[in-house]
Amino acid sequence: MTSAKLTIKEVARRLDVSTATISNAFNRPDQLSAKKRESILKACEEMGYFGPNKAARSLRRGQTNIIALVLPDSLDYMVSDPVASQFIRGVAQELKNTDANLLLFSGNNDSVNDVVDFVDGFICYGAPRNHNLLKQLSSISKHVVTADFDIGTAPSVNIDNYQAAYEIGKVALGDSAQRVAILGLRLIEGKYTCSVNDSPLIDSEFSVSHRRLDGYMKALTECKVIVSKEDIWHIPESSQKYAKVAAQHVLSQTPRPNVLLCMSDVIALTAMQEALKLGLRVPQDIRIVGFDGIDEGSRYHPTLATVEQFNVKKGAMAARMFLDRTSHSEILPFSLVDGDSAPAQ
């Protein structure tokens, strides 16, 4: 007989003990002598019974010890993204000594209703690709913590992306900026790499990239450098595949930009690879900055000038805020990384 056909009452009847005794053997070992507990567990194993129904018990308690981590895009893309991986690692580290388990949930899904009854709440990393999820997360009764965006009804953890982009932009522009291109990330609704031109930008309320763009534009204004919309690029994913298209196009222009402001380290490193292939010297011929602070930037040659946003700590903070049922939001510090791709002038 399989465990699926056995109930705790049936097991207790067969062993001629109370259901409380069976429950204690699995869940409260201090309530039984070691010898009796061992005897009961052995008998249960021989019957194919491995404990009370945890799902039913969780529903009775109203707590499942499962937290849904909502990622902004498809799971296959997000788990391969170095920045998202750092955030996930931070969440996992904070939860490892607790009873909580993590459920990864794609931001491409149609609805959170498929899992809402089976989780204690949601940690949301980045605005989901499907914006309908934002409305659902704003209205559900379960606890929600967001990271890298705000929904107004839940606590969030962020850095000041506007200020960080402004500061790294000033480093890149220095005193020698002549022509500048911005290699952006998900600035418009589009599946392909392209110039922004006159396409409407994604709502800045939920878009980290839009806030970074505003920061770059402030730096450009202060340095009296004009950038046309044709020189602002939308890259749909922070991946070499999509970034390469933008980098190759920008680097083939005449006159060629001598500064590239990139919205991720992956984009910046890809652009640097393409520049070096053309025989350009970095930073003498072209200055390049990124944003994120992934490990690869410090191992590359030249090293990458970028913004370190401490993604592991951000993930840990989001998890701690969830566990503590925090109601207030947090703004974490960032740091500028001095790299050879755009040394201070």
Side-chain angles (χ1 to χ4, degrees):
M1 186 176 292
T2 65
S3 59
K5 297 180 180 179
L6 285 173
T7 65
I8 190 171
K9 290 183 179 180
E10 174 62 17
V11 172
R13 185 190 67 77
R14 293 187 186 189
L15 298 183
D16 195 23
V17 296
S18 67
T19 56
T21 298
I22 301 297
S23 179
N24 287 339
F26 284 95
N27 301 311
R28 293 177 291 276
D30 58 309
Q31 300 297 308
L32 302 174
S33 68
K35 183 177 181 181
K36 186 170 185 179
R37 179 172 184 262
E38 183 180 353
S39 174
I40 290 174
L41 292 179
K42 183 178 180 181
C44 288
E45 182 178 359
E46 291 174 351
M47 279 188 278
Y49 180 77
F50 300 100
N53 188 304
K54 293 183 178 181
R57 187 169 70 249
S58 294
L59 290 174
R60 287 195 299 269
R61 291 184 307 164
Q63 182 176 354
T64 65
N65 290 332
I66 299 174
I67 302 171
L69 176 55
V70 182
L71 299 171
D73 219 311
S74 63
L75 295 185
D76 59 337
Y77 164 51
M78 295 310 302
V79 297
S80 63
D81 177 70
V83 182
S85 296
Q86 289 177 339
F87 183 88
I88 295 170
R89 185 163 75 246
V91 173
Q93 288 176 355
E94 190 66 26
L95 298 181
K96 69 179 179 181
N97 294 323
T98 72
D99 294 330
N101 298 290
L102 206 57
L103 169 69
L104 298 184
F105 188 83
S106 170
N108 287 330
N109 284 327
D110 294 331
S111 172
V112 298
N113 291 333
D114 294 337
V115 299
V116 69
D117 292 334
F118 307 103
V119 300
D120 295 333
F122 299 84
I123 297 173
C124 308
Y125 171 59
R129 178 78 75 168
N130 180 358
H131 287 181
N132 289 330
L133 297 183
L134 295 174
K135 298 178 182 178
Q136 296 171 15
L137 292 167
S138 299
S139 60
I140 61 176
S141 59
K142 298 291 181 77
H143 190 54
V144 175
V145 173
T146 65
D148 284 351
F149 76 108
D150 300 283
I151 57 176
T153 58
S156 64
V157 54
N158 297 282
I159 68 164
D160 189 337
N161 283 274
Y162 173 82
Q163 183 65 25
Y166 165 73
E167 292 185 18
I168 195 65
K170 291 283 283 187
V171 169
L173 296 170
D175 300 324
S176 59
Q178 298 165 1
R179 184 159 185 244
V180 178
I182 298 175
L183 302 190
L185 177 63
R186 288 185 64 186
L187 290 173
I188 63 177
E189 292 291 354
K191 297 181 180 180
Y192 305 103
T193 301
C194 62
S195 291
V196 169
N197 292 319
D198 294 325
S199 299
L201 299 179
I202 292 175
D203 189 347
S204 62
E205 182 180 359
F206 302 120
S207 172
V208 166
S209 296
H210 197 159
R211 292 194 289 274
R212 293 177 189 175
L213 177 61
D214 290 342
Y216 284 152
M217 296 305 292
K218 178 185 178 183
L220 288 161
T221 299
E222 288 189 3
C223 293
K224 296 181 171 56
V225 176
I226 297 175
V227 174
S228 71
K229 290 186 177 181
E230 292 182 354
D231 291 322
I232 302 175
W233 282 77
H234 159 74
I235 300 173
E237 290 183 4
S238 182
S239 67
Q240 187 177 40
K241 171 186 174 182
Y242 290 101
K244 188 174 181 179
V245 175
Q248 288 179 340
H249 185 92
V250 166
L251 294 172
S252 67
Q253 292 177 332
T254 304
R256 180 189 295 120
N258 72 332
V259 174
L260 295 183
L261 304 177
C262 305
M263 289 194 187
S264 81
D265 285 353
V266 171
I267 293 173
L269 291 172
T270 301
M272 201 185 310
Q273 288 174 353
E274 295 305 311
L276 294 173
K277 286 179 184 178
L278 294 174
L280 298 177
R281 298 171 300 163
V282 180
Q284 293 89 341
D285 298 325
I286 186 166
R287 294 167 64 84
I288 301 173
V289 295
F291 201 112
D292 285 328
I294 64 175
D295 294 339
E296 189 178 354
S298 63
R299 295 195 296 263
Y300 202 79
H301 181 73
T303 56
L304 182 64
T306 187
V307 173
E308 168 64 81
Q309 58 170 327
F310 308 107
N311 292 292
V312 175
K313 291 183 179 179
K314 188 190 296 181
M317 173 64 76
R320 178 44 51 192
M321 291 169 65
F322 184 93
L323 294 173
D324 292 344
R325 292 298 190 267
T326 300
S327 59
H328 64 274
S329 296
E330 296 280 352
I331 299 294
L332 298 183
F334 62 86
S335 177
L336 299 188
V337 178
D338 184 21
D340 295 333
S341 66
Q345 295 180 334

